[in-house]
Amino acid sequence: MKQIVVTGAGGQLGSEMRCLSAAHPDLEFDFADSSRLDVTDRQAVLAYLDAHPADIIVNCAAYTAVDRAEDDAEACRRVNALAPAYLAEAAEVHGATLIHVSTDYVFDGRNFRPYVETDATCPATVYGRTKLEGERRVLEGCSRAMVVRTSWLYSSYGNNFVKTMLRLGRTRSELGVVFDQVGTPTYAADLACALVESIRQGIVPGLYHFSDEGVCSWYDLAKAVHRLAGITTCHVRPLHTDEYPTRACRPHYSVLDKTKIKQTYGIAIPHWEASLEACLKILNSQE
Ligand SMILES: NC(=O)c1ccc[n+]([C@@H]2O[C@H](COP(=O)([O-])OP(=O)(O)OC[C@H]3O[C@@H](n4cnc5c(N)ncnc54)[C@H](OP(=O)(O)O)[C@@H]3O)[C@@H](O)[C@H]2O)c1
């Protein structure tokens, strides 16, 4: 039976991996959240993987507070760049495969067509730069590494844009959301499915892009959340990016081309709107 250690297991993706694990009794999962394993502690990482031998390590740990990272670069780099190097080292020692998750923010967003894996990177933020360094360290440090860049992750677990739009939609009569940043929302449950499917089929090392299908702006996503949740009392106003300044500068265009992962593993990816509906049903059932 394949042994899989999931680090950063308390976050959105880690929680979706845990949820999915129940449907895969032939895979043995060990979920290590930050209280069980601090991935920035090299000795702790090496000792944990000595004590919990894994065929596959799935690194879901990350510093994801994109704006805060601008003023907290060292802490961000420890989690997003140094920790992946420690995991790569431990994976290499044990002959394990490392699946590491990265981001569309490694690109500057000046493209006019979906980004492929071989496109030049040019991160504009501390978060993006540290994630790019993490990718490089994983690919250089582990001979069996799969790095998956994803975008606009949301889930019924944790805090995210979808949950914020639900909350604000129910409490406000008007809301401004940027319409000139375009990308693809990704339901973390879909990414978890794709990772488990890759594990089942046998990991083909390399760099991959994964998001849900389709393209939209944050404004479109907010409108879709309200429409699907039946919220009719909040007017959503489209804003230009310069009307909504943030500490970290977001890419205007960050659509990922998923051809490689679809062809390598033969996976079908749902459209973002179908997945959003599925997630909202779960959130609705929890109320
Ligand atoms: N969220 C997005 O929109 C987005 C977009 C593109 C790519 N991604 C990437 O997708 C992956 C999954 O993201 P996510 O949204 O699931 O992130 P998340 O919900 O923010 O979860 C990250 C997890 O990492 C854990 N963590 C932080 N520092 C740690 C440490 N030193 N040791 C162990 N665990 C630590 C956190 O634990 P604590 O909470 O206990 O600190 C948290 O449970 C990440 O690689 C992220 O960069 C995310």
Side-chain angles (χ1 to χ4, degrees):
M1 198 185 280
K2 273 190 183 135
Q3 312 278 330
I4 302 159
V5 167
V6 179
T7 55
Q12 298 191 85
L13 180 59
S15 300
E16 295 289 0
M17 291 288 297
R18 188 193 289 270
C19 187
L20 189 62
S21 67
H24 295 276
D26 55 324
L27 299 174
E28 195 167 313
F29 285 90
D30 171 33
F31 291 96
D33 63 17
S34 59
S35 68
R36 282 188 64 207
L37 175 62
D38 175 358
V39 290
T40 63
D41 180 339
R42 178 173 170 271
Q43 288 308 328
V45 168
L46 295 174
Y48 191 91
L49 285 148
D50 278 343
H52 304 80
D55 300 299
I56 293 157
I57 303 162
V58 184
N59 181 29
C60 300
Y63 186 116
T64 55
V66 176
D67 291 313
R68 186 164 18 107
E70 293 299 307
D71 303 306
D72 195 17
E74 267 186 40
C76 182
R77 182 167 179 261
R78 274 198 296 276
V79 184
N80 291 347
L82 301 186
Y86 306 151
L87 290 164
E89 182 184 349
E92 201 61 8
V93 167
H94 291 281
T97 297
L98 174 59
I99 300 179
H100 176 69
V101 182
S102 190
T103 173
D104 54 333
Y105 283 26
V106 298
F107 297 115
D108 63 9
R110 293 182 189 189
N111 253 21
F112 294 99
R113 52 136 184 89
Y115 283 98
V116 292
E117 289 79 356
T118 48
D119 278 331
T121 51
C122 185
T125 58
V126 167
Y127 171 74
R129 281 193 289 277
T130 58
K131 291 296 289 185
L132 181 61
E133 185 183 347
E135 292 184 358
R136 288 193 176 140
R137 284 174 173 265
V138 165
L139 291 169
E140 284 165 15
C142 177
S143 46
R144 288 160 301 274
M146 176 178 180
V147 174
V148 184
R149 292 182 184 138
T150 191
S151 64
W152 297 23
L153 220 54
Y154 69 91
S155 161
S156 58
Y157 301 99
N159 294 317
N160 51 61
F161 180 85
V162 169
K163 284 180 160 182
T164 302
M165 289 305 112
L166 277 177
R167 181 170 43 80
L168 296 180
R170 286 173 179 145
T171 51
R172 288 202 194 164
S173 58
E174 194 182 293
L175 189 62
V177 182
V178 294
F179 76 98
D180 55 358
Q181 290 171 25
V182 169
T184 312
T186 304
Y187 186 19
D190 294 336
L191 175 56
C193 273
L195 298 184
V196 169
E197 189 52 33
S198 311
I199 291 170
R200 299 196 76 87
Q201 291 189 28
I203 298 296
V204 181
L207 177 61
Y208 295 86
H209 287 175
F210 181 94
S211 70
D212 281 334
E213 294 286 14
V215 176
C216 70
S217 68
W218 291 108
Y219 166 79
D220 298 320
L221 178 55
K223 293 283 286 181
V225 169
H226 288 187
R227 180 171 42 77
L228 292 168
I231 295 170
T232 55
T233 49
C234 179
H235 172 63
V236 182
R237 231 167 8 96
L239 293 183
H240 285 100
T241 295
D242 58 14
E243 293 176 275
Y244 190 78
T246 50
R247 185 77 182 86
C249 159
R250 268 77 174 164
H252 279 283
Y253 181 93
S254 68
V255 180
L256 299 174
D257 187 312
K258 302 160 291 276
T259 306
K260 184 177 173 189
I261 199 163
K262 287 194 281 190
Q263 286 183 350
T264 304
Y265 297 104
I267 52 173
I269 303 178
H271 189 271
W272 69 265
E273 225 174 312
S275 290
L276 177 62
E277 198 167 359
C279 179
L280 289 174
K281 267 192 192 140
I282 292 174
L283 286 171
N284 197 32
S285 71
Q286 291 169 349
E287 281 172 0

